[in-house]
Amino acid sequence: MSQGAGSNGHSRMRPDFTIIAGMVRPGSWVLDLGCGDGALLKFLKGARGVKGYGVEIDDANVRAALEAGINVLQSNLERGLRSFGDASFDVVLLSQTLQAMHNIEGLMHEITRVGKEAIVSFPNLRYAPNFKQLEAGRMPVSDVLPYQWHDTPNVHLCTLLDFEDLCEQVGLAVAERIALANGRPVTDNPNVNSELAIYRVKKRNNALAGLPQE
Amino acid sequence: MSNTTQTASSIASPPAAAPPGSVGKVTPQLVRFDAPFTFKSGKSIPSFELMIETYGTLNANQSNAVLVCHALNASHHVAGIDADGAEGWWDNMVGPGKPHDTNRFFVIGVNNLGGCFGSTGPKHINPATLDRSGPDEESGGKPYGADFPVVTVEDWVNAQALLADHLGIECFAAVMGGSLGAMQALQWAIAYPQRVKHALVIASTPKLSAQNIAFNEVARQAIVTDPEFHGGHFYEHGVVPANGLRVARMVGHITYLSDDVMGERFGRELRDGLQYGYGAEFQIESYLRHQGDKFSGYFDANTYLLITKALDYFDPALAHDGNLAVALAPARGVNFLVVSFTTDWRFSPAKSREIVDALTANRTNVSYAEIDAPHGHDEFLLTDVRYHALARAYYERVWNSIGGTS
């Protein structure tokens, strides 16, 4: 199973890619966790001239990422990021990977330890059409949540408010938030009206003591 | 280079009868270096020869050369069929259309210095023992035996660099090896980073563990305590320490296989019921004895000692207070593929991850695959579909990096 398991098929361009590209400074040194077939890193390489590594657990994805020409490291994210030093990346990417992880709190600490900042995208369970499906008696299935309840890798779905609570709890500041529905930004009540959220987060200043500042 | 000469004619004509994917019948060639070679130990030899095989064609700008480095008991015979009908040790990896495609790359296999397959080694005449008092030619002389200088991975790579000079190769597209061969690829990247674009480091380690050294020491003790060893000068006695070599090979062989695979293949199967004696009763005993017998028939005992020492000594971080990242800093411009196998307990995935961590700390281009495969250390020589697919994908990248088309 891929840990980058938000959407079926990594080969197509996902709606969060361009948003993420807009949040990444050109030439950044990047760690893409759950990089799948390497499509995001390849895109960012072209669009923003970034360099860095993707981390992926799945054999077929590792091969696909090799073929995509990116640096891919086969590893289980649940084992943590111990091999990477503090602030060793300009930015850590977690593109629709978070909801498939088990130890989310630990991972949030880790990504903001090894990255000066992190960009996290995830599907919003409270998106109104999802909610409607639940009201009609079924678990939501959509382009962004393409799995049945019994075969989904998404073990930790959340809402925008849930995610922001967790950021608060683990000492992260939200530097930027873009919420999408049908690929377009949503500003009106995004917790209900967006299906996908992209956050740029970093350690709160009081938690940054001792770390290199930008 | 003016101080080298090449004897025997060159290589690899694709013969009509070659099986598909094979480079076909191959002929080794001996390259002579008429200049002193100084080892890391400080000792030197006045000249030396390296036995090599090559496959494929070196392109006009010499950019498509790949060096394949051998591990403990292998040789220059990497691919194809030699004069004895033997298939190369990495024939499943190297050949036309294979993951390491000889239609694209010019591949060099080399028997390392101190080896026993044609390159200058312990069984060759030590020039210091030649009688030069006569009026004409030199005469007499005894084999180096135990007096052959102890070799290190650094020495091998330095000798290989001289070979590259001789072949007119300024920069290898890739240097590739498994196990001890991978240590050479790593050393190439450290010592000659401007001369290697890609290093493929498979089933390796940045240094041996105490347990690894312990196994090597058992092997060495088996050899040096064999009464036929004669302090390493057994050639003069017309004998070989076959029993010592047998035991050395048996010990080594155990470490190359996983417990599971050995159990699966042999279990507690008996050859002919319980005999209540010390014959080869269990199939695994018979198998190990067979492997040991075969090995002692062709491998040189002094070479075995030398190679195990080279393994033990390899530790590029030693000169940098144990900091592997500092040791690998010169290799920053080299691109790496590191591969490990989950059931390899000789050089476990954790050892490969040490290499990867040191490379990522330096922001070196590296990809790493950890292949879930049953066969232990030996897996790197086997035809594992995922492993070969990765190698193929990586060689595609190597090919692109030298501007290859088609």
Side-chain angles (χ1 to χ4, degrees), chain B residues 160-368:
Chain B
Q160 290 161 1
L162 293 172
L163 175 66
D165 294 342
H166 167 77
L167 296 171
I169 295 158
E170 180 49 42
C171 181
F172 283 109
V175 178
M176 179 191 203
S179 189
L180 175 59
M183 292 175 179
Q184 293 158 59
L186 204 54
Q187 177 61 25
W188 260 99
I190 294 170
Y192 301 100
Q194 72 288 1
R195 300 193 69 176
V196 47
K197 274 185 154 47
H198 296 266
L200 287 82
V201 175
I202 298 162
S204 196
T205 177
K207 62 171 186 276
L208 264 59
S209 67
Q211 187 193 48
N212 293 148
I213 296 171
F215 278 116
N216 282 345
E217 176 58 6
V218 172
R220 284 190 292 265
Q221 282 299 310
I223 291 168
V224 302
T225 59
D226 186 317
E228 308 281 41
F229 183 62
H230 297 287
H233 295 286
F234 49 88
Y235 317 96
E236 300 155 39
H237 300 262
V239 292
V240 291
N243 274 318
L245 262 176
R246 263 175 97 234
V247 176
R249 179 59 172 169
M250 288 164 84
V251 169
H253 212 88
I254 296 167
T255 69
Y256 306 148
L257 296 178
S258 69
D259 188 18
D260 282 352
V261 155
M262 213 183 248
E264 223 165 79
R265 203 188 294 173
F266 304 104
R268 294 181 51 84
E269 200 182 318
L270 296 165
R271 297 175 69 215
D272 191 19
L274 289 175
Q275 301 297 318
Y276 299 98
Y278 300 107
E281 294 179 88
F282 290 94
Q283 286 292 5
I284 181 62
E285 295 176 299
S286 166
Y287 172 76
L288 284 179
R289 288 182 189 196
H290 170 72
Q291 291 294 329
D293 286 339
K294 211 169 69 175
F295 188 68
S296 65
Y298 71 81
F299 209 82
D300 179 75
N302 282 310
T303 291
Y304 201 89
L305 296 178
L306 286 174
I307 294 184
T308 58
K309 287 308 269 187
L311 273 161
D312 291 359
Y313 289 145
F314 185 68
D315 182 7
L318 183 67
H320 306 281
D321 297 324
N323 188 329
L324 188 61
V326 174
L328 286 173
R332 226 169 239 142
V334 180
N335 304 281
F336 285 82
L337 175 68
V338 179
V339 178
S340 72
F341 301 98
T342 49
T343 52
D344 183 351
W345 58 278
R346 182 183 172 90
F347 297 156
S348 71
K351 297 296 166 190
S352 285
R353 282 199 298 268
E354 282 180 31
I355 297 171
V356 172
D357 290 350
L359 292 169
T360 59
N362 290 326
R363 298 192 169 187
T364 305
N365 282 324
V366 53
S367 287
Y368 171 61

Side-chain angles (χ1 to χ4, degrees), chain B residues 90-107:
Chain B
W90 222 348
D91 194 76
N92 60 9
M93 179 69 80
V94 179
K98 298 245 174 91
H100 184 357
D101 190 348
T102 51
N103 289 330
R104 290 175 163 184
F105 296 102
F106 176 67
V107 183

